[in-house]
Amino acid sequence: MEKKGKEVSRRDFLTVTTSAVGAVGIGAAAIPFIKFMSPSKDIIRAGVMDVDISGLKEGEFKIVMWRKQPVFLLKRDKRMIETAARIDPSKLKDPASPEERVKRPDFLVCIGICTHLGCIPHFQPEKIAPGFDLPGFYCPCHGGKYDTLGRRLDGPPPENLHLVPYEFIDGKKLRIGTPEFAGFTENIRKIQDLPKVKV
Amino acid sequence: MALREWIDERFPLTEFIERHITKYPTPKNLNYWWNFGSLAGAFFAVQVITGIWLAMYYKPSTELAFDSVQHIMRDVNYGWLIRYLHAIGPTGFFFAVYIHMARGIYYGSYKSPRELIWWIGLAIYLALMAEAFMGYLLPWGQMSFWGATVITNLFSAIPVIGSKFVIWLRGDFAVGDPTLGRFFSFHTTFIPLGIIGLLLVFHLTALHRVGSNNPAGIDLDKKGPAVVPFSPYYVTKDLWFISLIFTVYLYFVFFKPDFFLEPINNEPANPFATPLEIVPEWYFLPFYAILRSIPSKLGGVVAMGGAIFILAFLPYLDRSPVRSARYRPIKRVLTWLFFLNFLVLGYVGAHPPFGVMVLIGRIATFYYFLYFLLLLIIPAFEKTRPLPKEVEL
């Protein structure tokens, strides 16, 4: 068969359609192999965790591991609440009001990963660092400074400490996470925008 | 095609494609029995890919192996699919390989100048058996454990050093964690890629040196009208046939995944309780029947090994100058009987060795070996039919 001008030969047609169907088939067959490498169901389900917080005293700080990421729990005392409230949110690099950071003023829950390069900041109950005379968090790696709401005050971090979905259960227990929420990689800035905790 | 030229100056891309695909001469008269080699290759590819994926979650330790397979089946996304593809794939692989070998026997494809292709193919078959056997231990179920125990014990039949050799093979005094570790290592690296993959390249290299045999069993002029280029003629035929068989394969994967799997292998390995009956996978049954037919430990092992190794002597046992059994009336009948006999051996292997099964097993074992002796004798009196000058289409 000779090709004349733009005429499509029977063989061209078959070659193109067969290749197209084959490509779709290979693409479809690749899906299970790609999804196989995503987190498995048990890892997804492990995204919801209960923590007993009945023993936490005023001013006490605790780190729990959730989804292989450190989560900061801080029972904030009066001084912590007051010093943080005095900061003008509009002057922050990543502006956020206290109401956007915590569900209860006396309790901070956030992911304890420095937004600069991923180290775990230290809790400083008295003063963060010289010149920062208020309690908060200090990252020893490159000098990132955060207040007791996890808001970035100074140093190289570009953002506030990331938030994580949580809810209080009868004031004694804290339920952290959802099956879908990934953690650090999902930076949702306002606590009101976080997904609801679900089991 | 400037890029193609740039590459061709540095790497024989076009030359390779023309030589092995677009201008590789293939006999026009190949029938469907010639489709099973590429089919086996397709199953090999599926096994390699699914195997790589399974190894991402599988844990080769006696403590964790069984549970890690359950984890893959229940928790890992599409884990059930990848695992069933990998567990049922060998059935397709051996199905293709057995028919591929039967075609070689029937049409005399082992004869000169294709002895090396035949021997390399036999080596692939041996490696494939080792690969399947080692892989079967990995899920660490009851049949995994006891199958491996029985098969490694076969080597204890070796005089003098037998029992020491078995301990060395297992790395322990019974099948245990060291055994599982080495089986996993061999199963996932050396045997599939270092042996089977490499031999596959040799198999095809040797084939492309001399070209395919054909149903008429005559030498064809590689430039003559009896050949067509491999692409597109046999590329399309192979793809069509692979699609057809894969439809059946995927039917089992999706709708009857347990059909080829032993129910008792869903129980974790228990070294204190042997299952009532130990049955190998179907593709080992004929040789298992030969093993059981000989009432002597060493004799059975030798017969089973010999049943495979005797195939290597085919090019020298069968001295007839005529390749295809089409033109050899006696070989044709004997060969069909040999295939039927192989199925009978498989049937016997699947049943407990009592009463009449023992007798059938022994007769079938006898005929299995007799066939090779007859091949040696029949050219002396067999009246072969005249060979065609050109292939009839």
Side-chain angles (χ1 to χ4, degrees):
Chain A
M1 253 187 277
E2 268 183 45
K3 270 198 271 183
K4 285 172 197 162
K6 282 186 179 176
E7 205 179 311
V8 179
S9 76
R10 192 181 153 89
R11 175 171 289 178
D12 288 342
F13 175 77
L14 284 172
T15 305
V16 170
T17 47
T18 309
S19 308
V21 171
V24 170
I26 288 170
I31 292 171
F33 288 88
I34 293 166
K35 293 209 166 163
F36 187 87
M37 294 169 77
S38 306
S40 55
K41 290 190 189 87
D42 54 318
I43 292 175
I44 299 288
R45 294 310 305 180
V48 184
M49 186 177 88
D50 286 357
V51 186
D52 182 13
I53 52 164
S54 58
L56 271 189
K57 293 185 205 68
E58 288 247 311
E60 200 176 329
F61 171 69
K62 193 177 173 183
I63 301 180
V64 292
M65 270 297 175
W66 166 84
R67 203 155 245 182
K68 303 193 176 69
Q69 300 163 39
V71 168
F72 285 178
L73 309 180
L74 176 62
K75 178 97 170 156
R76 301 171 77 217
D77 60 20
K78 264 206 175 112
R79 185 175 168 242
M80 293 173 184
I81 296 169
E82 278 166 14
T83 49
R86 254 181 261 141
I87 295 166
D88 177 4
S90 64
K91 290 194 173 148
L92 294 170
K93 190 171 184 181
D94 186 2
S97 66
E99 299 76 48
E100 291 169 342
R101 298 290 301 169
V102 287
K103 287 197 166 175
R104 243 166 60 182
D106 68 328
F107 213 96
L108 167 76
V109 181
C110 72
I111 292 177
I113 297 176
C114 182
T115 58
H116 179 220
L117 290 172
C119 301
I120 303 179
H122 288 186
F123 174 56
Q124 308 289 78
E126 297 304 323
K127 57 189 282 188
I128 301 171
F132 289 86
D133 200 9
L134 72 167
F137 303 97
Y138 176 73
C139 186
C141 302
H142 305 95
K145 298 167 193 75
Y146 305 89
D147 69 1
T148 56
L149 288 167
R151 293 183 298 185
R152 180 261 181 207
L153 300 178
D154 190 56
E159 296 157 342
N160 299 333
L161 292 179
H162 294 176
L163 296 170
V164 63
Y166 64 92
E167 72 180 13
F168 295 100
I169 298 168
D170 350 306
K172 286 180 182 168
K173 272 202 317 192
L174 185 68
R175 184 163 287 164
I176 304 172
T178 79
E180 292 81 25
F181 195 77
F184 181 74
T185 49
E186 294 189 47
N187 183 17
I188 295 175
R189 292 190 145 74
K190 292 180 189 172
I191 203 139
Q192 291 80 6
D193 296 340
L194 283 167
K196 289 261 179 305
V197 171
K198 265 188 300 185
V199 183
Chain B
M1 288 292 270
L3 178 64
R4 176 64 77 86
E5 278 161 23
W6 188 90
I7 293 171
D8 280 338
E9 280 167 20
R10 292 154 180 86
F11 180 91
L13 181 66
T14 302
E15 188 190 322
F16 185 88
I17 291 173
E18 286 183 351
R19 188 163 168 181
H20 295 295
I21 301 167
T22 53
K23 288 185 184 166
Y24 174 65
T26 333
K28 248 182 197 175
N29 58 334
L30 298 186
N31 55 30
Y32 270 107
W33 300 114
W34 263 261
N35 272 79
F36 288 85
S38 63
L39 180 66
F43 275 113
F44 178 62
V46 169
Q47 290 305 105
V48 168
I49 294 167
T50 52
I52 290 170
W53 257 251
L54 287 175
M56 294 176 188
Y57 287 98
Y58 173 76
K59 295 186 171 61
S61 119
T62 53
E63 296 286 315
L64 303 169
F66 188 86
D67 289 344
S68 74
V69 174
Q70 298 307 310
H71 175 61
I72 291 169
M73 293 297 288
R74 291 153 199 261
D75 298 330
V76 176
N77 303 311
Y78 291 101
W80 58 272
L81 176 60
I82 312 277
R83 195 227 165 181
Y84 280 144
L85 284 171
H86 197 78
I88 301 170
T91 284
F93 203 162
F94 275 98
F95 163 76
V97 164
Y98 277 129
I99 294 184
H100 187 59
M101 290 168 76
R103 188 268 288 152
I105 293 173
Y106 186 85
Y107 290 105
S109 299
Y110 49 79
K111 285 170 178 280
S112 175
R114 297 186 181 81
E115 302 97 323
L116 260 181
I117 307 177
W118 176 252
W119 289 330
I120 296 165
L122 282 179
I124 293 175
Y125 174 59
L126 278 178
L128 193 58
M129 289 203 285
E131 178 71 357
F133 160 65
M134 290 185 180
Y136 199 58
L137 180 66
L138 305 188
W140 202 248
Q142 270 289 65
M143 205 55 89
S144 300
F145 179 86
W146 291 100
T149 298
V150 169
I151 303 296
T152 48
N153 260 329
L154 287 180
F155 293 94
S156 70
I158 302 170
V160 189
I161 58 153
S163 54
K164 283 240 159 67
F165 183 76
V166 172
I167 294 169
W168 177 79
L169 206 61
R170 294 172 173 168
D172 202 337
F173 302 102
V175 171
D177 205 59
T179 324
L180 183 58
R182 62 192 61 185
F183 277 25
F184 176 72
S185 177
F186 281 135
H187 178 79
T188 52
T189 58
F190 187 56
I191 299 181
L193 304 173
I195 299 186
I196 298 178
L198 188 70
L199 288 177
L200 214 62
V201 173
F202 290 171
H203 196 56
L204 289 174
T205 306
L207 173 71
H208 283 221
R209 181 74 185 193
V210 296
S212 285
N213 185 24
N214 63 83
I218 54 173
D219 290 322
L220 302 174
D221 179 4
K222 297 254 169 63
K223 292 188 180 76
V227 298
V228 288
F230 181 70
S231 173
Y233 294 97
Y234 284 104
V235 169
T236 45
K237 189 182 180 188
D238 283 352
L239 282 177
W240 137 250
F241 192 71
I242 289 167
S243 307
L244 185 74
I245 299 297
F246 269 42
T247 307
V248 180
Y249 168 47
L250 292 176
Y251 169 78
F252 280 104
V253 167
F254 285 114
F255 299 106
K256 295 270 182 284
D258 291 329
F259 190 81
F260 292 104
L261 307 180
E262 279 294 326
I264 199 155
N265 222 28
N266 292 319
E267 249 175 65
N270 179 358
F272 292 108
T274 308
L276 281 180
E277 208 193 326
I278 299 190
V279 184
E281 295 295 273
W282 69 263
Y283 37 81
F284 291 141
L285 287 174
F287 299 104
Y288 185 62
I290 291 175
L291 170 76
R292 290 194 313 194
S293 293
I294 310 287
S296 137
K297 185 170 173 177
L298 180 60
V301 174
V302 168
M304 186 175 70
I308 296 162
F309 280 102
I310 200 166
L311 293 167
F313 295 99
L314 264 180
Y316 299 109
L317 290 172
D318 177 8
R319 305 300 298 160
S320 170
V322 177
R323 290 199 192 102
S324 175
R326 256 188 200 177
Y327 306 101
R328 297 185 57 189
I330 301 179
K331 183 191 169 178
R332 187 176 187 168
V333 173
L334 291 178
T335 305
W336 277 114
L337 276 177
F338 179 74
F339 297 155
L340 187 70
N341 184 65
F342 195 69
L343 296 179
V344 169
L345 279 171
Y347 181 82
V348 169
H351 291 81
F354 300 125
V356 71
M357 277 298 161
V358 179
L359 183 66
I360 297 173
R362 286 187 182 156
I363 294 170
T365 300
F366 178 71
Y367 181 72
Y368 184 97
F369 289 101
L370 181 68
Y371 172 74
F372 296 94
L373 183 67
L374 293 175
L375 277 188
L376 182 68
I377 300 166
I378 53 173
F381 52 83
E382 187 181 35
K383 281 205 178 66
T384 58
R385 291 169 52 208
L387 292 174
K389 288 270 184 300
E390 262 302 323
V391 293
E392 308 132 13
L393 291 171

